Amino acid sequence: MTTTPDPVNAWMDSWRSELPEVEHASSELTKRIMFVGGVLDGVMRRELTGLELTPAEFDVLVALRRAGAPYRMKPNRLARSLMLSTGGTTNVTHRLVARRLVERENDPDDARSTWLRLTADGVALAERAVLVNAAAHDALFDGVPAEVVEAATTALRKLFAATPSLLGEAPAAHTARSQA
């Protein structure tokens, strides 16, 4: 039985011989996360191409669908939830409005404000895109024992809990140590 070469092992071996001081305790973890993220991104992009969606359009549709009925959000809240600039969100929503997947609604409580709301076609496409994307990710990990997937998920959950900066929070303990 032949095994597929592990590119991260090759990268780490190269750095150990070429520039060992670049290796830190988190180096291999970082490379593995980036590699898996790149593969997942490629899978998602292939699926979205078939749905004629860009990743940014997918993110907006899914965020609105995830918001629950009536599938709407204020543009600023949407931008913050996606970690996009308001300008970038505006460009994406203009395209989605032109495709009649999203519509703007006036806010009856604030004449200066609008809501972004999924149309029926937008809801249907968002749901289809999420299902296709989830199936593609599931297929990628087909054959991986469930306990391995669960162990990786648990480890990453613990990593998130131990690293508030991953979630955009200031690392208070690290800040306090660096000021001492």
Side-chain angles (χ1 to χ4, degrees), residues 108-123:
D109 299 326
D110 182 355
R112 299 167 296 155
S113 183
T114 60
W115 290 94
L116 296 171
R117 186 178 66 79
L118 286 177
T119 64
D121 287 345
V123 171

Side-chain angles (χ1 to χ4, degrees), residues 11-161:
W11 297 338
M12 297 308 297
D13 289 345
S14 294
W15 283 121
R16 281 183 198 103
S17 71
E18 293 297 320
L19 192 61
E21 57 270 21
V22 77
E23 188 175 355
H24 298 280
S26 63
S27 295
E28 184 175 352
L29 171 66
T30 302
K31 293 297 181 214
R32 290 193 180 282
I33 290 171
M34 291 172 65
F35 188 85
V36 170
V39 171
L40 291 170
D41 185 62
V43 167
M44 177 189 69
R45 286 176 184 275
R46 278 192 301 279
E47 296 301 325
L48 295 181
T49 298
L51 297 171
E52 298 179 358
L53 288 172
T54 67
E57 291 167 340
F58 171 78
D59 287 345
V60 168
L61 291 176
V62 170
L64 291 169
R65 175 59 184 88
R66 193 174 48 239
Y71 313 118
R72 70 180 189 177
M73 295 174 82
K74 296 279 186 164
N76 284 341
R77 181 169 166 240
L78 177 64
R80 280 192 309 273
S81 76
L82 298 174
M83 295 186 291
L84 293 174
S85 69
T86 53
T89 304
T90 299
N91 290 336
V92 173
T93 56
H94 281 317
R95 292 194 307 267
L96 295 171
V97 167
R99 291 178 61 188
R100 293 187 165 91
L101 298 170
V102 171
E103 61 188 12
R104 288 183 178 80
E105 291 180 341
N106 291 326
D107 183 345
D109 299 326
D110 182 355
R112 299 167 296 155
S113 183
T114 60
W115 290 94
L116 296 171
R117 186 178 66 79
L118 286 177
T119 64
D121 287 345
V123 171
L125 183 56
E127 290 174 358
R128 184 171 169 222
V130 168
L131 291 169
V132 165
N133 198 41
H137 287 165
D138 193 47
L140 181 67
F141 292 106
D142 188 41
V144 178
E147 60 272 9
V148 172
V149 172
E150 181 58 36
T153 302
T154 299
L156 289 171
R157 192 178 295 121
K158 289 178 181 178
L159 183 67
F160 270 55

